[in-house]
Amino acid sequence: MESPKVSIIVPVHNAGKYLEKCLTSIISQTLKEIEIILVLDCPTDGSNNIAEGFAAKDKRIVLIYNNENLHTGISRNKGIEAAKGKYIGFFDHDDYCESNMYELLYEKAEEECLDIVRCNFLCVYKVKSECVEEGYKYPDNSTNATDKEWFYENVCSDKISCVIWNHLYKADFLKQNKLYFLDSRTICSEDSIFFINVYDKIEKIGIVPDFLYYHVFHSSNTGKAYAYRSIKNRVSFFEELHKFLKSKGINEDTCNTFLFKNVVRSLYSASRQALLLFPLKKALKEINTLRKNNLIMKQFYFLYKKENLSTLFRLKPTIIIFSLLIRVSTPKKNID
């Protein structure tokens, strides 16, 4: 095969029973000129054997072996560097897609000379013994790539989905703009950081309105693990968002407006998870790190400003109590 039209990058760790369906949906694409890069991230459940079995039967599959568990961020970067396709797509190892997904995205990108094109997607949940599909359609404003501040606000406040696997990216666009993923061992939601940087660079967004990608939620999703979504990693994420906003000339009050509600809800969730997972002393030690971070504490104080009280009282009672405890235990004079 000549240079592939699309390179599809799939970090593979412990995908379990989901991997076979995932890989079958990729190799069955109606667009045949594809390269499938499986980055084997030290799986311990036999996922490597499944990947190697598929590779033995399909020469379009390229295997990359990590020497240590690097997680999704760095694994995706290794895939980007190895990719030979004109376009690049990312795929989670437990998801699947329609057979014509990459053909539709590729044709749209080629017809309109786009650096990026996306489709809508479905979330797949199991409710009791039944699988339920819930479609996600982007708001109309998200088609206007020139309104950068709209993207900044909606990414920072978690109002739009910042997933990356329903997109197709021109490889040269990613590489020339040095658009890579942060290390997901030390920061969570690295895909949101990638998303905001991508959308900051593009001038036009291509849309295929069909629901073509299926994102599967299950109890062993990596994204649910505390090791990934810890208090420390979430704080790193908000620090990275704040740094991005400041680099775009956004003033501090606007930064706080974009961030505060997401910060409070996210860190409540992490703190609750810590209390459920760890002995009380260890959990409180984790939570106490919030009080030592000026950026985070500014958000808790910002929540209680007069103009934000309506937002405060729309939060769940447990989040209100949590935010109050964090606020009153840290005198404002201790915040720079």
Side-chain angles (χ1 to χ4, degrees):
M1 182 177 71
E2 297 179 0
S3 295
K5 293 177 178 177
V6 172
S7 295
I8 304 166
I9 298 167
V10 191
V12 177
H13 184 52
N14 290 344
K17 64 182 181 180
Y18 301 96
L19 184 58
E20 188 164 346
K21 184 173 183 177
C22 166
L23 297 182
T24 299
S25 79
I26 298 175
I27 66 172
S28 302
Q29 289 295 299
T30 54
L31 181 68
K32 300 303 181 185
E33 302 91 338
I34 61 174
E35 172 186 49
I36 305 159
I37 302 174
L38 306 183
V39 185
L40 298 177
D41 194 27
C42 302
T44 59
D45 70 340
S47 291
N48 56 312
N49 296 326
I50 295 172
E52 288 163 354
F54 271 82
K57 298 175 183 178
D58 194 324
K59 300 305 179 185
R60 298 174 302 172
I61 296 177
V62 177
L63 300 178
I64 295 176
Y65 293 84
N66 290 344
N67 292 325
E68 59 179 309
N69 185 213
L70 299 175
H71 296 204
T72 54
I74 302 301
S75 294
R76 286 174 180 149
N77 291 344
K78 292 178 75 170
I80 294 171
E81 292 297 341
K84 297 178 181 176
K86 183 175 181 179
Y87 296 91
I88 289 175
F90 301 101
F91 217 96
D92 279 4
H93 65 192
D94 40 12
D95 293 345
Y96 56 98
C97 67
E98 295 288 347
S99 61
N100 60 346
M101 172 175 160
Y102 285 105
E103 182 176 14
L104 292 176
L105 293 176
Y106 174 80
E107 288 179 349
K108 182 76 170 180
E110 286 289 280
E111 287 169 6
E112 299 185 18
C113 299
L114 298 168
D115 290 324
I116 178 175
V117 60
R118 71 167 188 247
C119 63
N120 291 314
F121 62 92
L122 296 109
C123 297
V124 182
Y125 306 88
K126 183 163 279 190
V127 179
K128 295 182 179 179
S129 59
E130 298 292 324
C131 281
V132 177
E133 296 176 357
E134 180 181 340
Y136 180 87
K137 184 177 181 296
Y138 284 87
D140 291 340
N141 282 5
S142 70
T143 62
N144 180 11
T146 61
D147 189 358
K148 301 301 182 185
E149 192 157 313
W150 185 91
F151 280 104
Y152 302 161
E153 177 180 4
N154 281 270
V155 171
C156 292
S157 59
D158 196 31
K159 290 180 181 176
I160 59 171
S161 181
C162 297
V163 297
I164 50 98
W165 22 251
N166 62 327
H167 292 65
L168 196 63
Y169 311 84
K170 186 173 284 185
D172 287 344
F173 167 75
L174 293 183
K175 293 175 182 179
Q176 289 168 8
N177 286 289
K178 299 180 180 179
L179 294 167
Y180 294 96
F181 292 87
L182 297 177
D183 188 343
S184 50
R185 293 170 295 183
T186 58
I187 187 171
C188 72
S189 302
E190 78 290 343
D191 45 358
S192 295
I193 301 297
F194 181 84
F195 183 99
I196 200 171
N197 277 286
V198 166
Y199 275 71
D200 183 53
K201 299 291 184 185
I202 58 174
E203 298 179 359
K204 184 181 178 183
I205 303 167
I207 309 294
V208 174
D210 309 65
F211 292 85
L212 300 173
Y213 190 95
Y214 296 81
H215 183 57
V216 180
F217 287 86
H218 53 85
S219 59
S220 54
N221 277 123
T222 303
K224 292 183 178 180
Y226 185 79
Y228 172 67
R229 299 191 66 80
S230 66
I231 290 173
K232 180 181 178 182
N233 284 5
R234 293 189 197 221
V235 168
S236 295
F237 167 65
F238 290 118
E239 288 176 335
E240 194 66 31
L241 280 181
H242 182 261
K243 183 171 73 173
F244 173 88
L245 292 173
K246 297 301 287 185
S247 75
K248 299 302 170 185
I250 307 296
N251 67 55
E252 192 65 22
D253 278 347
T254 303
C255 288
N256 293 336
T257 300
F258 289 177
L259 288 168
F260 79 102
K261 188 176 179 181
N262 192 12
V263 167
V264 171
R265 289 189 303 189
S266 176
L267 293 175
Y268 162 77
S269 178
S271 299
R272 183 176 180 275
Q273 193 175 8
L275 286 166
L276 292 172
L277 281 175
F278 304 130
L280 181 60
K281 185 176 181 180
K282 181 177 179 179
L284 292 176
K285 185 177 180 180
E286 292 265 309
I287 296 168
N288 193 50
T289 60
L290 300 177
R291 300 174 57 247
K292 300 175 183 178
N293 187 289
N294 283 331
L295 171 64
I296 298 303
M297 288 311 306
K298 283 178 182 178
Q299 310 311 311
F300 280 96
Y301 268 88
F302 194 78
L303 175 65
Y304 282 85
K305 292 188 71 170
K306 184 177 180 180
E307 61 267 30
N308 296 325
L309 291 181
S310 60
T311 298
L312 170 67
F313 294 125
R314 284 197 298 269
L315 296 173
K316 293 180 179 179
T318 48
I319 300 178
I320 294 174
I321 294 169
F322 167 75
S323 63
L324 180 62
L325 290 172
I326 295 294
R327 182 181 180 274
V328 298
S329 64
T330 311
K332 193 171 184 181
K333 65 181 180 180
N334 294 348
I335 302 172
D336 294 337

